[in-house]
Amino acid sequence: MKKLLFPAAILLLLAVTGCTDEESGLGLNLVDGNTLYNGQQATLTANRALSVRDDSLTTTGFDYGVIGNYQDATFGSVSATLYTQIALDQHTGSINIAENIIDSVVLTLVKDHTFPDSTASYNFHFEVMRLAEPLLTDTVYYSCDTLAVDPTAKYFDQTVTVTPTDSIVRLKLDNSISTILNQTGTAEEFINATKGLRIRITDAGSTGMLGINFRATKTCLTVYHRYSSEDTVDAEYPFLLGNGTAHFIHFHHDYTGSVTGGADSLDGTTALYLEPLGGYNMLVSFDDAVRTFAAAHPTAVLHHAELLLPVASSVTPPDRVLAVGKRAEGDEAYIDDLMMDLIHMSRFDGTYDASRNCYRLRVTQHVQGLLRQGADPGTLLVLNSRRSSAARAIVNGLSATDHPRIELIYTE
């Protein structure tokens, strides 16, 4: 499973509407099939929601990432660029290949996916350049960060076709990279000497995104070398890229002429936006509904509560939506229900339900906590794959008939 992390800050929302109660026998359409409850149904409806820019997204050290370019009329254009160290194996403390003869150097990237069409072939124009300064191991980099490159050290600048059946993208680098790899020294000295690489897909080829699996050992830089001119067979020396090294991804958005326009926040009356790669998150509040329900049912015990996010449009629905709540102490964390659903792999764990065209999130413990405190300071909805996939979605706004809501079953 890909890593889950949450943004560093959440904005508070203003007031929202009340709730409605209905008598019901069994909440068959709401509850997990393994657990049925006798109780009453209620619906909590938000009347205030925002799409907010994800402007503090860390991208340092994740197991999966993406590079490339994509654009559409709603969100404008976005590009993703990888910055990575070249490092020795974690169990290797030093290197001594200064006198070796390097015949070739190959950079390989293990493909996780292509976007927007996984069944299509792409003519990606890759560019690999050396960094002008070392990528620091002890620094946290964000999606807005960049590092300068050495304009004289371009190691690859060609178009490569990536087909649906390809599992690895192989780039044979210019042999001028040998001058920085023929090193003798410690692992730290090697990183400082090589500085690192910037790897990107330029706009000269196909428009699209390449997802990369950094966890895979075959995502690496392999040197084919001989110990002397008398050797006739190359030996292999693998260097780490991605996993086991410091690396991050820079995302650049251009919202010129787009529907969203790149505003810091957008009112959610008509539509709400979930855009990855440092784009937009959703912030919703059910404060009035929670206050009204808590006052009318002070002893209510929730047996099931489900947040529904009806999807208005998506080319490829993102894999999962995660909910981040604000604690009484003022900090933010994933809601308690999330970890329980991940353990049990429930169908309410924020995945897309094609039969109902919506995302479904179990929020029972979260809402019970809101009722105890008698208020809702706001819940942030983020894409699980917001660092590693360009898949995005538009969610129905609050004025839609099929609007975002919480449906619950309770007794008292």
Side-chain angles (χ1 to χ4, degrees):
M1 182 177 295
K2 299 180 182 180
K3 276 192 177 180
L4 312 179
L5 289 181
F6 53 86
I10 302 180
L11 302 175
L12 293 180
L13 285 178
L14 302 177
V16 282
T17 59
C19 62
T20 59
D21 293 340
E22 302 177 15
E23 290 293 336
S24 173
L26 295 178
L28 296 176
N29 63 323
L30 297 181
V31 300
D32 189 317
N34 295 323
T35 316
L36 302 179
Y37 301 101
N38 287 302
Q40 294 176 288
Q41 290 187 17
T43 299
L44 310 184
T45 303
N47 72 341
R48 181 70 169 151
L50 297 172
S51 302
V52 293
R53 284 296 305 275
D54 191 3
D55 57 1
S56 58
L57 183 66
T58 61
T59 59
T60 303
F62 283 84
D63 290 341
Y64 294 83
V66 63
I67 60 174
N69 308 277
Y70 185 69
Q71 64 180 35
D72 63 33
T74 300
F75 297 100
S77 63
V78 60
S79 63
T81 301
L82 168 65
Y83 295 83
T84 179
Q85 291 176 334
I86 308 169
L88 306 184
D89 183 273
Q90 294 172 324
H91 303 292
T92 303
S94 62
I95 186 173
N96 183 9
I97 60 169
E99 304 301 322
N100 294 19
I101 300 171
I102 296 178
D103 290 322
S104 62
V105 180
V106 176
L107 188 157
T108 55
L109 303 172
V110 175
K111 183 181 77 174
D112 180 57
H113 69 276
T114 51
F115 180 88
D117 186 356
S118 61
T119 65
S121 294
Y122 294 85
N123 294 315
F124 287 137
H125 191 100
F126 289 89
E127 179 190 82
V128 180
M129 298 188 71
R130 185 192 184 194
L131 299 181
E133 57 188 274
L135 198 159
L136 303 178
T137 302
D138 57 355
T139 298
V140 175
Y141 294 94
Y142 291 82
S143 61
C144 57
D145 289 328
T146 61
L147 294 175
V149 295
D150 179 351
T152 66
K154 183 178 290 186
Y155 301 132
F156 195 88
D157 189 16
Q158 299 177 37
T159 298
V160 176
T161 299
V162 179
T163 72
T165 59
D166 289 332
S167 59
I168 292 177
V169 177
R170 192 173 185 270
L171 310 179
K172 185 177 180 181
L173 304 186
D174 188 279
N175 220 44
S176 60
I177 195 175
S178 301
T179 59
I180 66 170
L181 298 178
N182 278 128
Q183 298 285 337
T184 296
T186 66
E188 183 177 358
E189 289 171 341
F190 179 80
I191 288 175
N192 290 332
T194 56
K195 294 184 172 60
L197 299 175
R198 185 187 74 180
I199 304 170
R200 66 176 183 171
I201 295 173
T202 73
D203 57 9
S206 298
T207 297
M209 292 280 191
L210 172 69
I212 302 170
N213 182 355
F214 294 121
R215 183 186 298 176
T217 57
K218 289 185 179 180
T219 295
C220 64
L221 188 75
T222 303
V223 171
Y224 296 89
H225 66 100
R226 290 172 290 145
Y227 295 100
S228 72
S229 59
E230 297 178 356
D231 291 334
T232 58
V233 179
D234 280 327
E236 295 183 14
Y237 198 111
F239 294 96
L240 299 181
L241 291 177
N243 192 32
T245 71
H247 63 279
F248 74 95
I249 298 178
H250 168 73
F251 302 130
H252 174 72
H253 291 265
D254 183 353
Y255 291 101
T256 303
S258 67
V259 172
T260 60
D264 289 339
S265 64
L266 299 167
D267 179 77
T269 301
T270 303
L272 290 156
Y273 302 100
L274 286 170
E275 183 193 16
L277 313 185
Y280 283 93
N281 298 321
M282 285 174 49
L283 188 61
V284 297
S285 176
F286 295 82
D287 191 61
D288 275 4
V290 167
R291 292 175 184 272
T292 300
F293 186 89
H297 309 282
T299 61
V301 175
L302 300 189
H303 299 290
H304 184 80
E306 182 179 341
L307 173 60
L308 301 178
L309 303 176
V311 174
S313 175
S314 180
V315 176
T316 304
D319 65 342
R320 178 176 289 127
V321 176
L322 309 176
V324 180
K326 193 174 188 67
R327 293 173 172 170
E329 298 82 6
D331 58 348
E332 295 85 33
Y334 287 121
I335 64 172
D336 293 336
D337 302 85
L338 173 64
M339 297 312 299
M340 185 62 66
D341 279 335
L342 292 180
I343 292 171
H344 295 291
M345 297 304 292
S346 160
R347 69 173 182 270
F348 301 104
D349 65 352
T351 55
Y352 177 71
D353 185 339
S355 65
R356 300 180 64 177
N357 190 35
C358 70
Y359 287 95
R360 305 171 66 184
L361 293 83
R362 190 198 304 274
V363 292
T364 310
Q365 297 180 63
H366 179 57
V367 176
Q368 187 77 73
L370 298 179
L371 294 175
R372 282 196 298 268
Q373 67 187 43
D376 177 13
T379 301
L380 189 72
L381 286 312
V382 304
L383 294 174
N384 174 43
S385 55
R386 63 195 180 279
R387 298 175 179 87
S388 58
S389 171
R392 67 278 309 275
I394 302 173
V395 174
N396 286 346
L398 301 183
S399 63
T401 301
D402 190 13
H403 52 261
R405 60 194 180 276
I406 295 176
E407 295 182 345
L408 54 86
I409 298 174
Y410 69 97
T411 56
E412 55 184 337

